[in-house]
């Protein structure tokens, strides 16, 4: 029961503390008022891009693949430097609430709302999959640690608690809660390393360590040097330079330089998180003498259950933190997109910005739950499909942004041509197999972005003629 008590205290303390830290503003809570410190935004960016699946899966991947996720972080660093210097000024210099308002200024409201709608649909699918898949280890851990609770009930409970501080405290509460949550599961990973160091020597665990997957087909593994660095760079341009989920946080910074510092700093922080979780995996590999795993994702949860009750409860709470952080960030970002990109349609509601924002946030909570329960009857292929759709839209959206940035005379017709051509080409690529394997997700974004940019340029050429 000690572990269960720790989990319960966490579930009570997080919403309370987040709301306390976010007090002081009484207008649209989906905006950050440009007063949040860079270090908190940095922590929030990393917490937003990671989830329960990150915390649970990376040790299992590292068990057989060493530090390949750290290798991917090198591409993330290059991408975030480019985002900081080329993308963030597009938004900060125009006082925007949504990343897609830039496209509205360049191509008109139709393109803006199309890209925003694609974000809303894909984020709804991605977060529903994260919630569904994340509930499996959380439910098992809670039951084994003396806190037995059914998956659907736990899902609803987590959503209610997350909604409470997201709806009432807005982006400020989300950023502060993200900061707390990231520190919790990063600290938990470091505690695991310390505990394992008493059983396994570091030199033994690091024997044969590597950053990349050598000898694998170039386009089917996301962990080869080219896929990790080139693909990771362009993936970061899309995920951190064009996605409302990340841009919303940067718009809450006090200045452009603070936003840049948070963005670049997040690359080092996510690299540290990947390194810590990977080190847990390689140390467990040494402890188990390299025994084969039937289910890699169970490696870390099974290790958690061997810890003393207080530590077990702390680590279960850290995995809950990852889930709640993903949910709160998604709901607030989707609310911000609606408020910023579909404002003309909201004028018919005689509500203040704060009341309207809260109702939209509550709607997204219900939509996430409904979609998640829909996934509960579907297995692996649907999960893979939902994650693939996110990668497809990243490539298509990045192509439109690059067209806007690199082709100052491009028209809305060129932007629409770029978007739909990119989606079509990525649909074809999804059906291709190389030696029986599908194309790695890290190559989908480069393929989508470049094909979209080329299609937009061709469209310009015919219009000019």
């Amino acid at each position: 029961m000690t572990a269960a008590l720790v989990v319960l205290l966490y579930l009570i303390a997080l919403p309370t503390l987040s709301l306390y830290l976010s007090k002081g503003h009484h207008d649209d809570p989906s905006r950050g008022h440009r007063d949040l410190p860079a270090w908190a935004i940095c922590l929030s960016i990393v917490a937003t891009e990671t989830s329960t699946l990150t915390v649970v899966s990376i040790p299992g991947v590292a068990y057989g693949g060493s530090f390949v996720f750290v290798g991917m972080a090198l591409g993330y660093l290059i991408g975030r430097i480019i985002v900081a210097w080329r993308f963030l000024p597009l938004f900060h210099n125009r006082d925007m609430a949504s990343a897609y308002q830039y496209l509205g200024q360049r191509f008109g409201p139709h393109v803006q709302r199309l890209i925003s709608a694609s974000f809303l649909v894909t984020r709804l699918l991605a977060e529903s999959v994260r919630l569904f898949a994340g509930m499996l280890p959380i439910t098992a851990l809670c039951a084994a640690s003396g806190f037995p609770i059914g998956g659907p009930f736990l899902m609803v409970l987590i959503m209610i608690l997350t909604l409470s501080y997201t709806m009432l405290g807005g982006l400020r509460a989300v950023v502060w809660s993200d900061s707390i949550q990231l520190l919790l599961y990063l600290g938990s990973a470091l505690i695991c390393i310390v505990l394992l160091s008493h059983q396994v020597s570091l030199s033994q665990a690091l024997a044969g360590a590597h950053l990349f997957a050598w000898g694998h087909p170039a386009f089917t593994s996301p962990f080869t040097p080219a896929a990790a660095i080139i693909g990771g760079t362009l993936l970061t341009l899309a995920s951190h330079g064009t996605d409302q989920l990340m841009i919303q946080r940067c718009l809450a910074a006090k200045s452009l330089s603070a936003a840049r510092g948070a963005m670049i700093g997040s690359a080092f922080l996510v690299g540290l998180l990947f390194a810590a979780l990977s080190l847990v995996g390689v140390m467990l590999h040494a402890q188990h003498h390299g025994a084969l795993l039937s289910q890699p994702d169970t490696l870390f949860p099974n290790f958690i259950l061997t810890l003393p009750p207080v530590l077990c409860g702390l680590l279960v709470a850290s995995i809950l933190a990852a889930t709640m952080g993903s949910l709160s960030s998604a709901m607030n970002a989707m609310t911000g997109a609606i408020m910023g990109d579909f404002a003309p349609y909201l004028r018919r509601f005689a509500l203040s910005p704060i009341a309207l924002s809260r109702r939209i946030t509550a709607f997204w909570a219900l939509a996430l739950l409904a979609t998640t329960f829909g996934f509960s009857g579907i297995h692996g292929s649907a999960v893979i499909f939902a994650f693939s759709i996110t990668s497809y839209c990243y490539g298509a959206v990045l192509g439109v942004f690059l067209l806007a940035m690199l082709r100052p005379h491009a028209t809305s017709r060129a932007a629409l041509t770029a978007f739909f051509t990119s989606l079509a080409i990525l649909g074809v690529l999804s059906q291709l197999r190389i030696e029986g394997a599908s194309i790695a997700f890290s190559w989908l974004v480069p393929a989508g972005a470049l094909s979209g940019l080329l299609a937009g340029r061709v469209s310009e050429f015919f219009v000019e003629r």
Side-chain angles (χ1 to χ4, degrees):
M1 290 299 295
T2 303
L5 181 61
V6 172
V7 174
L8 184 61
L9 288 174
Y10 168 78
L11 292 176
I12 295 172
L14 179 68
T16 304
L17 183 57
S18 300
L19 287 173
Y20 174 78
L21 292 172
S22 66
K23 64 181 182 180
H25 286 283
H26 303 286
D27 49 353
D28 181 4
S30 67
R31 304 192 67 169
H33 310 282
R34 299 202 173 191
D35 61 351
L36 291 171
W39 64 265
I41 294 173
C42 177
L43 293 173
S44 180
I45 289 173
V46 177
T48 298
E49 65 185 305
T50 53
S51 66
T52 300
L53 298 180
T54 307
V55 177
V56 169
S57 297
I58 289 182
V61 172
Y63 186 92
S66 195
F67 289 88
V68 290
F69 265 94
V70 181
M72 288 189 68
L74 296 177
Y76 292 176
L77 173 60
I78 298 171
R80 287 176 216 223
I81 291 174
I82 298 173
V83 167
W85 291 100
R86 294 290 293 126
F87 284 74
L88 292 187
L90 300 176
F91 313 111
H92 256 277
N93 294 342
R94 292 175 169 85
D95 190 28
M96 295 177 179
S98 162
Y100 312 116
Q101 287 178 289
Y102 168 70
L103 297 180
Q105 293 178 3
R106 283 286 287 108
F107 299 125
H110 295 301
V111 174
Q112 175 186 351
R113 290 168 193 154
L114 172 66
I115 302 302
S116 182
S118 72
F119 159 75
L120 294 171
V121 172
T122 54
R123 184 52 51 193
L124 178 64
L125 287 174
E127 293 306 321
S128 297
V129 170
R130 279 182 172 187
L131 181 58
F132 169 65
M135 282 300 100
L136 301 178
I138 291 175
T139 303
L141 284 169
C142 287
S145 59
F147 196 58
I149 187 170
F153 183 79
L154 180 61
M155 194 183 303
V156 173
L157 175 62
I158 288 175
M159 182 62 76
I160 291 173
L161 291 171
T162 306
L163 179 63
S164 67
Y165 67 81
T166 304
M167 187 168 65
L168 297 177
L171 180 60
R172 291 170 59 82
V174 170
V175 169
W176 288 119
S177 66
D178 281 350
S179 302
I180 296 167
Q181 290 159 345
L182 177 67
L183 292 174
L184 177 60
Y185 56 83
L186 177 58
S188 298
L190 296 176
I191 290 172
C192 290
I193 292 171
V194 172
L195 293 174
L196 284 168
S197 66
H198 295 297
Q199 306 171 36
V200 179
S201 68
L202 195 58
S203 59
Q204 178 187 358
L206 295 178
H210 52 271
L211 291 177
F212 303 107
W214 301 96
H216 290 259
F219 293 102
T220 59
S221 171
F223 303 119
T224 61
I229 296 176
I230 299 175
T233 296
L234 288 175
L235 176 62
T236 301
L237 294 186
S239 63
H240 289 65
T242 70
D243 195 299
Q244 170 70 1
L245 201 63
M246 299 299 172
I247 296 302
Q248 184 191 41
R249 275 138 193 75
C250 294
L251 290 174
K254 296 177 180 179
S255 64
L256 176 59
S257 60
R260 282 172 166 166
M263 179 61 66
I264 296 174
S266 71
F268 294 99
L269 188 58
V270 79
L272 174 62
L273 177 63
F274 286 173
L277 291 170
S278 297
L279 185 54
V280 171
V282 298
M283 294 179 83
L284 287 172
H285 183 269
Q287 184 189 53
H288 295 174
H289 305 291
L292 294 178
L293 293 177
S294 58
Q295 294 180 305
D297 284 355
T298 64
L299 176 71
F300 194 39
N302 287 339
F303 170 70
I304 289 174
L305 295 177
T306 66
L307 299 176
V310 173
L311 287 178
C312 179
L314 178 65
L315 285 162
V316 172
S318 73
I319 294 178
L320 280 171
T323 299
M324 295 173 72
S326 297
L327 285 174
S328 62
S329 297
M331 287 190 292
N332 195 260
M334 291 191 289
T335 299
I338 292 289
M339 297 286 288
D341 299 319
F342 297 90
Y345 300 102
L346 302 177
R347 291 172 187 158
R348 67 186 68 178
F349 301 103
L351 295 171
S352 66
I354 188 169
L356 186 59
S357 179
R358 287 174 174 175
R359 282 164 173 77
I360 295 172
T361 303
F363 165 79
W364 285 122
L366 293 174
L368 283 164
L369 280 176
T371 309
T372 302
F373 283 122
F375 276 114
S376 64
I378 304 174
H379 300 289
S381 60
V383 173
I384 294 172
F385 173 76
F387 276 121
S388 298
I389 287 294
T390 304
S391 297
Y392 301 156
C393 283
Y394 270 162
V397 171
L398 179 59
V400 176
F401 267 88
L402 291 177
L403 186 68
M405 295 166 64
L406 302 177
R407 304 295 304 173
H409 301 294
T411 63
S412 60
R413 177 183 296 179
L416 293 172
T417 300
F419 182 74
F420 288 112
T421 300
S422 178
L423 287 181
I425 289 176
L426 287 170
V428 172
L429 290 178
S430 69
Q431 303 302 314
L432 294 181
R433 295 294 181 270
I434 301 175
E435 298 180 2
S438 58
I439 296 176
F441 68 86
S442 53
W443 289 116
L444 293 177
V445 172
L450 294 177
S451 62
L453 186 60
L454 179 61
R457 183 66 187 98
V458 171
S459 176
E460 283 185 87
F461 174 77
F462 284 108
V463 170
E464 289 171 359
R465 294 188 62 183

